[in-house]
């Protein structure tokens, strides 16, 4: 069955150039810059005070991130003509890309903590990255699948790809998709410490003397072309393809050869069934840094040869909006198609592009743009390209958007708390002993149990110079992959370079963010450590693993709390199934430094002893953990005679507007995720051999899941509860549940993995294990 064509029917945009689509477009076409003096925080120590700052008032009761997102989403919904009251809200997904999330609030909370004014646990918990999606779902009452992507500056371009996967597979009817990032002192000090900021407004692809930070949000309503036609919606553009790749080259600099960026563009066009010769306009990543502006033209020449289409950088007017950039530029690219005008590059300082590109200087140019390719690149060597075209335009070659092959698990490993390897984890499960045997003091509470991974020991064989560049989260991820290869064999160089990586985490590189910010708070710019800053992006761990193992394939990073594992496995499986990758390493990790433990231990439901009984209202215990799961196509696994551990059978995801930090007690949304996974797998409740439970000892969660299992017809199914021994690992919990089952915690047969995330999102997966 062919996958549906998908179209954009609604747009919303807020940037320094305007607070809606029309104001932005008028400014862009006229070449009027939205870059101005930054008045949001003190810039006296920074290389510049220029920024693409939004000037319209934002809701004072909200973090700036949430306010910007809400503004753009309201406009996108309004212009789409979609009446949410008339559709099944359970089929409306939320997919958002962000690098910073509610960073202004998190900075305030951390500033108070560093300066001895105490820890505001509620505000700390409500400013974590996954909360962006939770806020949107609650504000607009959206109840479908929900995911936050965080590939740094490529985040919302990756989000568009995720939205496409959902619609191609039929996991949702509509997707509210986009990206948002606010201006924040953390990123401003970080880029200043790297020497990457231009003292003047940036000059991409001409002077190329640095970037200018910006802020904003771009959102779209995306749906199938048939559904749009049925409701009489105007299709503005078709999202026909996307491509992702990793350089595996450097943590902050792109591969100077441009090969990785070229691979992403080529994959995007191949997915769309188009060739380079059919591209009419390129919306460049175009940051203005010397490294980007030298490597991106090389990538274009590799793909297009001497005939490179007109190519401009709208960052010259909007600034670099970080994780929002891909979505902001997709909105601009859609307008280029719909309005017949190519956006310009401004502030060329009177110079032609030294790279020989037609950068549409000065003002917009009237031209038909039937096919647009938009690029977004990021720290960690992450490359993302999106293809948008005029609705109804035929593709000369078949599109690669429908599933064509099966997907299998050929490797699995995990570590949690005191269990620093899969063997130790399996032994702890077999003996029924907890892996969270540590105790730490939390001010105002006393001693509480916690599971700590000795990351130094876990990565003891790593080259010391490489290890020093890694943060704890990256070391956890590295240890999981190393253990997988020790158990299942190391790939050849050719196999490694064809491997992709989907990294997932509940909450990201907490240690790096807090250490970098503390340095700034205590010492200003002299305390802004550029090495630490490189690890503050959520996808840094994926970059380290890719460099270590020479991965050059597909890459994405998910930060969605407790559902992160299963959503990452789902994405990887969808990509492999439609032939866009042969194998993808799914790596999941979460670290919990003392500040994270202090926050969690002050919230309801934390255990006061190391005895955890899921369903027994004992409370849960926080535990660090990581897992690696290698997924391959059946053909790729057979070609290298790999042992198959399990077969991918189905996935399901759902959400509810519970609000940040909350979940519903009735289990209704959770049950929808369970039923969706079984439906895709063609399984009845009676056909499920074992439910791998998300129960952790916290009464609210355990009660909600018990009700969900009952509603899904699974109340009498055999259940295993790994968190009784592994603790609550959040991001890695679902993957560790699969590792536990494959390590003997469940009999062979059909497994149903259950997971939840605070904020009201749920995900489930069905695997058929192989004896």
């Amino acid at each position: 069955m062919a996958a549906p064509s998908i179209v954009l029917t609604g747009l919303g945009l807020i940037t320094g150039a305007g607070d809606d689509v029309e104001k932005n477009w008028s400014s862009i076409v006229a070449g009027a810059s939205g870059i101005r003096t930054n008045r949001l925080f003190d810039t006296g120590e920074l290389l510049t005070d220029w920024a693409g700052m939004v000037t319209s008032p934002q809701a004072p009761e909200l973090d700036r991130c949430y306010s910007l997102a809400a503004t753009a989403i309201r406009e996108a919904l309004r212009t789409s003509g979609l009446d949410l009251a008339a559709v099944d809200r359970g089929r409306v997904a939320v997919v958002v890309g962000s690098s910073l999330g509610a960073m202004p609030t998190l900075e305030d909370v951390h500033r108070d903590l560093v300066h001895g004014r105490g820890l505001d646990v509620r505000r700390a918990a409500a400013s974590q990255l996954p909360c962006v999606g939770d806020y949107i779902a609650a504000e607009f009452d959206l109840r479908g699948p929900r995911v936050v992507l965080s590939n740094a500056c490529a985040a919302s371009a990756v989000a568009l790809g995720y939205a496409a996967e959902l619609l191609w597979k039929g996991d949702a009817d509509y997707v509210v998709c986009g990206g948002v990032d606010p201006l924040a002192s953390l990123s401003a000090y970080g880029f200043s410490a790297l020497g990457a900021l231009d003292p003047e407004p940036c000059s991409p692809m001409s002077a190329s003397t640095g970037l200018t930070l910006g802020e904003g949000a771009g959102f779209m309503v995306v749906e199938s072309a048939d559904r749009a036609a049925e409701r009489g919606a105007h299709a503005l553009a078709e999202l026909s393809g996307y491509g992702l790749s990793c350089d595996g080259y450097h943590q902050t600099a792109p591969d100077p050869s441009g090969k990785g960026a070229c691979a992403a563009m080529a994959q995007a066009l191949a997915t769309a069934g188009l060739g380079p010769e059919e591209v009419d306009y390129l919306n460049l990543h175009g940051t203005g840094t010397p490294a980007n502006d030298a490597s991106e033209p090389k990538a274009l020449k590799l793909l297009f040869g001497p005939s490179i289409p007109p190519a401009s950088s709208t960052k010259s007017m909007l600034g670099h909006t970080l994780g929002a950039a891909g979505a902001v530029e997709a909105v601009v690219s859609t307008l280029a198609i719909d309005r017949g005008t190519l956006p310009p590059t401004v502030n060329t300082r009177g110079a032609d592009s030294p790279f020989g590109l037609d950068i549409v200087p000065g003002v917009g140019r009237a031209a038909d743009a039937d096919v647009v390719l938009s690029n977004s690149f990021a720290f960690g060597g992450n490359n993302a390209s999106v293809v948008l075209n005029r609705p109804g335009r035929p593709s000369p070659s078949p599109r690669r958007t429908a599933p064509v092959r099966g997907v299998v698990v050929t490797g699995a490993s995990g570590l949690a708390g005191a269990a620093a390897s899969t063997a130790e984890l399996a032994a702890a499960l077999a003996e029924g002993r907890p892996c969270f045997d540590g105790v730490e003091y939390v001010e105002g509470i006393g001693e509480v149990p916690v599971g700590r991974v000795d990351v130094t020991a876990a990565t003891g064989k790593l080259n010391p110079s490489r290890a020093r560049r890694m943060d704890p989260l990256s070391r956890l991820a590295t240890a999981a992959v190393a253990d997988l290869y020790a158990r299942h064999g190391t790939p050849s160089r050719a196999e490694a370079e064809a491997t992709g990586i989907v990294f997932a985490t509940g909450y990201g590189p907490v240690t790096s963010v807090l250490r970098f910010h503390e340095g700034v708070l205590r010492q200003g710019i002299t305390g802004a450590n550029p090495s630490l800053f490189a690890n503050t992006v959520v996808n840094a761990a994926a970059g380290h693993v890719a460099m270590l193992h020479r991965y050059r394939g597909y890459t994405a990073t998910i930060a969605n709390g407790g559902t992160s594992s299963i959503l990452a496995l789902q994405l990887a499986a969808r990509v492999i199934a439609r032939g866009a990758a042969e194998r993808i390493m799914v790596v999941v990790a979460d670290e919990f430094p003392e500040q994270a433990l202090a926050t969690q231990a002050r919230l309801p439901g934390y255990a006061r002893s190391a005895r955890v009984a899921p369903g027994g209202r004992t409370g849960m215990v926080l535990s660090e953990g990581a897992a690696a799961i290698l997924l391959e196509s059946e053909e790729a696994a057979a070609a290298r005679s790999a042992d198959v551990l399990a077969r991918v059978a189905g996935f399901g995801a759902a959400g509810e507007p519970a609000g940040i930090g909350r979940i519903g007690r009735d289990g209704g949304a959770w049950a929808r995720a369970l039923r969706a996974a079984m439906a895709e797998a063609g399984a009845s409740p009676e056909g499920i051999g074992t439910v791998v439970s998300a129960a952790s000892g916290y009464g609210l969660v355990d009660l909600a899941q018990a009700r969900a299992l009952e509603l899904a017809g699974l109340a009498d199914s055999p259940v295993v509860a790994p968190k009784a021994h592994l603790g609550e690992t959040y991001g890695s919990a679902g993957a560790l549940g699969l590792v536990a089952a494959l390590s003997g915690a469940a009999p062979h047969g059909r497994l149903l993995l259950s997971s939840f995330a605070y904020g009201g999102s749920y995900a489930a997966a069905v695997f058929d294990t192989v004896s």
Side-chain angles (χ1 to χ4, degrees), residues 485-745:
Y485 284 145
R487 290 166 54 81
H488 301 286
T490 303
S492 67
R493 179 161 186 159
E495 289 169 345
E497 292 186 348
T499 300
I501 177 170
V502 172
F503 178 66
T505 177
Y507 299 103
V510 184
T511 296
S512 291
V513 170
L514 297 183
R515 285 181 181 172
F516 177 81
H517 191 234
E518 183 171 355
V520 170
L521 291 173
R522 294 193 185 279
Q523 298 176 266
I525 192 63
T526 60
N529 185 327
S531 297
L532 276 177
F533 179 65
N535 286 321
T536 62
V537 294
V538 179
N539 60 306
H544 282 297
V545 173
M547 285 190 291
L548 185 63
H549 295 288
R550 300 189 180 94
Y551 296 162
R552 302 289 187 270
Y554 183 98
T555 188
T557 292
I558 292 170
N560 215 66
T563 57
S564 296
S565 283
I566 291 180
L567 295 175
L569 289 165
Q570 179 183 29
L571 176 60
R574 296 281 192 259
V575 172
I576 293 170
R578 64 178 180 81
E582 292 296 337
R583 67 183 58 82
I584 295 175
M585 184 72 76
V586 176
V587 189
V588 200
D590 265 304
E591 46 124 2
F592 300 109
E594 59 178 325
Q595 299 92 334
L597 176 61
T599 300
Q600 184 73 66
R602 286 181 168 90
L603 295 171
Y606 201 90
R608 294 298 176 257
S609 76
R611 178 184 172 273
V612 167
R617 297 182 179 273
T618 55
M620 50 75 73
V621 175
L622 200 63
S623 185
E624 296 178 324
I629 309 291
L630 182 59
L631 297 184
E632 298 190 66
S633 68
E634 289 180 330
E635 293 85 346
R640 66 184 192 91
S641 301
D643 291 332
V644 173
L645 307 178
R647 291 183 171 83
V648 173
F651 294 94
E656 62 188 351
I660 292 174
R662 302 173 181 173
I663 65 169
R665 294 175 178 269
D666 63 5
W670 201 331
R672 285 194 286 113
L674 298 171
R675 287 195 295 264
M678 289 189 290
E680 185 174 303
S684 66
E686 295 75 22
I688 299 298
T690 306
V691 173
V692 182
S693 170
S696 64
Y698 178 26
L700 173 62
V701 171
D702 297 358
L703 174 63
Q705 184 182 237
R707 289 175 172 168
L709 292 174
E710 183 176 2
L711 290 170
L714 295 162
D716 297 325
S717 298
V719 173
V720 296
K723 292 179 185 179
H725 308 296
L726 306 183
E728 178 56 271
T729 56
Y730 284 127
S732 57
L736 283 171
L738 179 58
V739 173
L742 295 174
S743 300

Side-chain angles (χ1 to χ4, degrees), residues 183-203:
L183 283 168
S185 63
L186 181 134
S187 50
Y189 272 84
F191 281 105
S192 199
L194 287 172
L197 297 181
D198 195 325
E200 300 298 326
C202 63
S203 180

Side-chain angles (χ1 to χ4, degrees), residues 143-232:
R143 306 181 184 189
R146 185 186 317 165
V147 64
V148 175
L149 287 304
S150 195
N151 281 67
C153 304
S156 54
V158 180
L160 278 163
Y162 201 107
E165 299 288 353
L166 289 176
L167 290 163
W168 287 332
K169 184 63 177 176
D171 295 318
D173 293 338
Y174 308 93
V175 182
V176 175
C177 176
V180 58
D181 263 327
L183 283 168
S185 63
L186 181 134
S187 50
Y189 272 84
F191 281 105
S192 199
L194 287 172
L197 297 181
D198 195 325
E200 300 298 326
C202 63
S203 180
M205 296 299 169
S206 45
S208 301
T209 45
L211 63 84
T212 298
L213 290 172
E215 65 176 346
F219 276 85
M220 295 143 275
V221 173
V222 192
E223 59 191 288
S224 73
D226 290 344
R227 197 172 299 277
E230 287 172 6
R231 66 182 189 87

Side-chain angles (χ1 to χ4, degrees), residues 318-634:
L318 310 180
H320 192 344
T321 56
L322 301 182
V328 166
E329 291 158 15
V331 170
V332 173
S333 296
T334 296
L335 293 169
I337 293 169
D338 189 60
R339 308 288 177 88
T341 302
L342 306 186
T345 306
V346 304
N347 195 32
T348 62
R349 303 178 189 173
D352 293 333
S353 174
F355 310 104
L357 302 179
D358 174 3
I359 58 172
V360 193
V363 296
R365 178 189 301 166
D368 289 333
D370 282 357
V371 177
V372 174
L373 185 65
S374 182
N375 287 336
S376 297
F377 309 138
F379 277 8
N382 286 199
N383 308 297
S385 298
V386 174
V387 176
L388 297 155
N389 55 256
R390 192 172 301 283
R393 186 190 190 285
S395 298
S397 301
R399 293 184 174 179
R400 301 178 183 179
T401 57
V404 294
R405 55 193 184 179
V407 182
V408 295
V409 177
T410 57
S413 68
L415 48 149
S421 68
T422 309
E424 292 176 17
L425 185 148
L429 292 169
E431 296 165 16
R433 54 181 168 82
C435 297
F436 38 85
D437 56 357
V439 175
E440 294 181 17
Y441 180 80
V442 175
E443 186 176 353
I445 294 178
E447 291 186 337
V448 296
V450 64
R452 292 282 185 218
V453 176
D454 185 343
V455 293
T456 301
T459 53
K461 296 181 180 179
L462 194 63
N463 181 296
S465 64
R466 190 182 292 273
R468 281 194 295 271
R469 292 192 289 270
M470 292 186 178
D471 65 323
L473 192 69
S474 299
R475 286 192 174 199
L476 282 169
T478 298
V481 175
D483 194 47
L484 184 146
Y485 284 145
R487 290 166 54 81
H488 301 286
T490 303
S492 67
R493 179 161 186 159
E495 289 169 345
E497 292 186 348
T499 300
I501 177 170
V502 172
F503 178 66
T505 177
Y507 299 103
V510 184
T511 296
S512 291
V513 170
L514 297 183
R515 285 181 181 172
F516 177 81
H517 191 234
E518 183 171 355
V520 170
L521 291 173
R522 294 193 185 279
Q523 298 176 266
I525 192 63
T526 60
N529 185 327
S531 297
L532 276 177
F533 179 65
N535 286 321
T536 62
V537 294
V538 179
N539 60 306
H544 282 297
V545 173
M547 285 190 291
L548 185 63
H549 295 288
R550 300 189 180 94
Y551 296 162
R552 302 289 187 270
Y554 183 98
T555 188
T557 292
I558 292 170
N560 215 66
T563 57
S564 296
S565 283
I566 291 180
L567 295 175
L569 289 165
Q570 179 183 29
L571 176 60
R574 296 281 192 259
V575 172
I576 293 170
R578 64 178 180 81
E582 292 296 337
R583 67 183 58 82
I584 295 175
M585 184 72 76
V586 176
V587 189
V588 200
D590 265 304
E591 46 124 2
F592 300 109
E594 59 178 325
Q595 299 92 334
L597 176 61
T599 300
Q600 184 73 66
R602 286 181 168 90
L603 295 171
Y606 201 90
R608 294 298 176 257
S609 76
R611 178 184 172 273
V612 167
R617 297 182 179 273
T618 55
M620 50 75 73
V621 175
L622 200 63
S623 185
E624 296 178 324
I629 309 291
L630 182 59
L631 297 184
E632 298 190 66
S633 68
E634 289 180 330

